[in-house]
Amino acid sequence: MHISTAALLRSTTARTAPASLAQRFSAVRARSVALAAPLSAEDAMVQSMPDASPAKWHLAHTSWFFEHFVLAPQPGYRPLHADWQLLFNSYYTSVGPAHARARRGLLSRPSLAQVLDYRAAVDERIAARFAAGTMDAEARRHLILGLQHEQQHQELLLTDIKHALWCNPLQPAYRELQVPASTALPLGWIDSAERIVEVGAGAWPQHAQFAYDNESPRHRVLVPAHRLANRPVNNHEYRGFIEAGGYREPRWWLSQGWELCQAEGWRQPLYWDAQCQREFTLGGWRALDPHAPVCHLGYYEADAYARWAGARLPTEFEWEAATAGVPLDGHFADDDHLHPCGAAAAGGMAQLFGDVWEWTSSAYAPYPGFQPLPGSLGEYNGKFMCGQYVLRGGSCATPRGHVRASYRNFFAPSARWQFAGLRLARDAA
């Protein structure tokens, strides 16, 4: 089953973009089902913490999104399951009430089979719209956004099931993985002079290239002179922080981070064993690769390590400025490793994209002139601009082609279950 599942995943993740929106829709939807294929119905219902969601819910919610925002606006449309709207709405309060996020794991009904049937029925109705030529411009825009939204949930499906399997005393693997061996890339520093740079993206859909509303408008910022590490911090380096008593010394930590560290008994990254020799992966336990980027750090841990190392986290603008001329390539979910790999030899910046999301020191806030999408879709990003930090670059669980230099991911500083690491920065001498 592992072999056939991996083959199915590869068949749904070609590096070249599908020739049409209809083909892209089919490919993205098929990949979600393929990602869920190794899971039993029991696996797909598990919710291990309030911040995570069951795989079954991810499969249903993304289908609800297409039904509500693409199909339902059509005159005379009748929903497939009107009583499911409450269950699979997430946070669109202008649409209607939603089942409590922390209680999604209690939804034993509808069954996984019923959810998969629901997905298929939504897909058939979307395909019929394409075939009939009735997919108007607004529906197509909503569908494009829905595909980006589903790709986000594909990553969440993986990170959420990883946490659930780790919480199981048996700690079973999601499926067999092949993670290539890493090679050492010495830590280096790249200097950048003070300059004014343009960051962000043009507002979509006025601008043809897709970007979320939180990435716009494109604007100029002053980036002071600084130094940026040529690669993310690796496991060996982070283990040095642990061995030096980093989790026992409050002077490296922000106050709230230290309180949380003590309250929850943090002594190492989320999925490391107590001896810091092994880590839990989607393929089960494996020996810690010293050269691979450290991952599953919260912002508080990343910030504490940077202080201990005599550095700091980069701002999101320093990070984005560093991507100029850097190919948008790296280890993504399509490579099927589903775990960070070490950097290959590089003469400049390495691993800006893929492997691990990189925490920045920038609070998740609106850009000057920010305008959310109109209507209910305006709830997608803007209302979360408080108490969170920006991450950049994508991870080994991010679909290839989903991220770009201007992409702004965001999480609370306590979040540890995502594939998140860090890159060091320093002020100019």
Side-chain angles (χ1 to χ4, degrees):
M1 178 165 179
H2 291 156
I3 296 175
S4 61
T5 300
L8 179 57
L9 283 167
R10 286 192 292 271
S11 72
T12 61
T13 56
R15 286 175 180 257
T16 55
S20 70
L21 183 57
Q23 289 175 313
R24 183 165 175 245
F25 175 81
S26 295
V28 170
R29 297 285 284 169
R31 178 167 177 79
S32 297
V33 175
L35 287 172
L39 305 178
S40 67
E42 293 84 358
D43 290 332
M45 183 183 161
V46 173
Q47 182 178 23
S48 52
M49 62 174 173
D51 283 343
S53 295
K56 182 173 72 174
W57 189 90
H58 287 300
L59 295 171
H61 167 69
T62 49
S63 302
W64 170 88
F65 187 99
F66 285 113
E67 184 179 30
H68 183 83
F69 289 109
V70 178
L71 295 174
Q74 190 176 27
Y77 181 81
R78 297 181 61 183
L80 287 160
H81 300 282
D83 54 342
W84 290 12
Q85 305 302 301
L86 168 72
L87 302 181
F88 301 125
N89 183 6
S90 53
Y91 47 72
Y92 297 94
T93 56
S94 60
V95 169
H99 183 68
R101 179 178 182 179
R103 297 170 65 85
R104 290 170 183 168
L106 300 179
L107 299 175
S108 60
R109 306 289 178 88
S111 68
L112 177 60
Q114 288 174 308
V115 165
L116 292 174
D117 287 344
Y118 174 53
R119 284 184 66 87
V122 169
D123 292 353
E124 288 174 5
R125 293 190 177 194
I126 295 286
R129 290 282 301 274
F130 275 118
T134 58
M135 190 76 71
D136 61 22
E138 181 177 84
R140 293 175 74 89
R141 287 195 296 269
H142 290 178
L143 188 135
I144 290 169
L145 177 61
L147 292 175
Q148 299 287 329
H149 167 258
E150 179 137 356
Q151 288 182 312
Q152 288 180 315
H153 279 272
Q154 289 171 355
E155 179 159 3
L156 290 170
L157 187 153
L158 291 170
T159 58
D160 292 358
I161 196 62
K162 180 175 182 177
H163 189 267
L165 295 174
W166 176 74
C167 288
N168 185 324
L170 299 178
Q171 295 184 316
Y174 160 72
R175 64 175 176 83
E176 185 178 335
L177 298 181
Q178 297 295 326
V179 182
S182 298
T183 56
L185 177 63
L187 180 68
W189 294 90
I190 297 177
D191 294 321
S192 179
E194 179 178 286
R195 54 189 169 136
I196 294 175
V197 300
E198 283 198 345
V199 297
W204 178 84
Q206 296 90 336
H207 189 273
Q209 185 66 37
F210 177 84
Y212 287 115
D213 55 9
N214 66 1
E215 300 173 53
S216 68
R218 189 163 174 80
H219 62 290
R220 299 192 306 163
V221 296
L222 174 64
V223 176
H226 65 279
R227 312 180 76 197
L228 205 60
N230 64 329
R231 59 158 171 80
V233 172
N234 64 31
N235 288 323
H236 172 73
E237 291 160 341
Y238 197 85
R239 188 156 49 192
F241 169 67
I242 297 170
E243 292 171 350
Y247 281 86
R248 301 189 303 271
E249 178 54 68
R251 63 179 170 143
W252 307 123
W253 295 75
L254 293 169
S255 178
Q256 289 183 340
W258 178 248
E259 291 175 4
L260 192 60
C261 175
Q262 297 307 295
E264 298 193 358
W266 297 351
R267 294 295 180 267
Q268 61 273 328
L270 180 62
Y271 295 123
W272 287 22
D273 69 2
Q275 293 73 40
C276 299
Q277 298 297 317
R278 299 186 304 153
E279 61 181 327
F280 184 75
T281 75
L282 282 163
W285 284 97
R286 70 190 301 264
L288 199 69
D289 180 348
H291 308 308
V294 62
C295 66
H296 296 296
L297 300 180
Y299 175 86
Y300 293 131
E301 292 167 289
D303 180 74
Y305 176 87
R307 294 170 190 267
W308 173 82
R312 59 173 174 81
L313 297 179
T315 69
E316 64 171 316
F317 304 129
E318 289 170 342
W319 188 97
E320 187 170 337
T323 65
V326 176
L328 209 163
D329 198 12
H331 297 124
F332 291 103
D334 310 59
D335 299 309
D336 209 30
H337 307 318
L338 302 185
H339 193 73
C341 304
M349 286 292 180
Q351 295 180 289
L352 281 168
F353 300 102
D355 286 306
V356 292
W357 290 100
E358 298 181 14
W359 285 106
T360 74
S361 63
S362 297
Y364 179 53
Y367 284 166
F370 166 73
Q371 293 292 326
L373 291 171
S376 298
L377 290 172
E379 297 188 64
Y380 197 96
N381 285 312
K383 69 182 186 181
F384 300 108
M385 292 177 171
C386 179
Q388 311 207 57
Y389 283 85
V390 174
L391 302 93
R392 295 296 197 114
S395 82
C396 58
T398 306
R400 186 178 299 279
H402 178 66
V403 294
R404 54 206 152 265
S406 61
Y407 193 109
R408 305 174 79 203
N409 200 358
F410 55 92
F411 279 100
S414 58
R416 306 175 79 207
W417 88 110
Q418 294 300 306
F419 285 98
L422 76 150
R423 183 183 302 263
L424 296 177
R426 286 176 176 159
D427 297 332

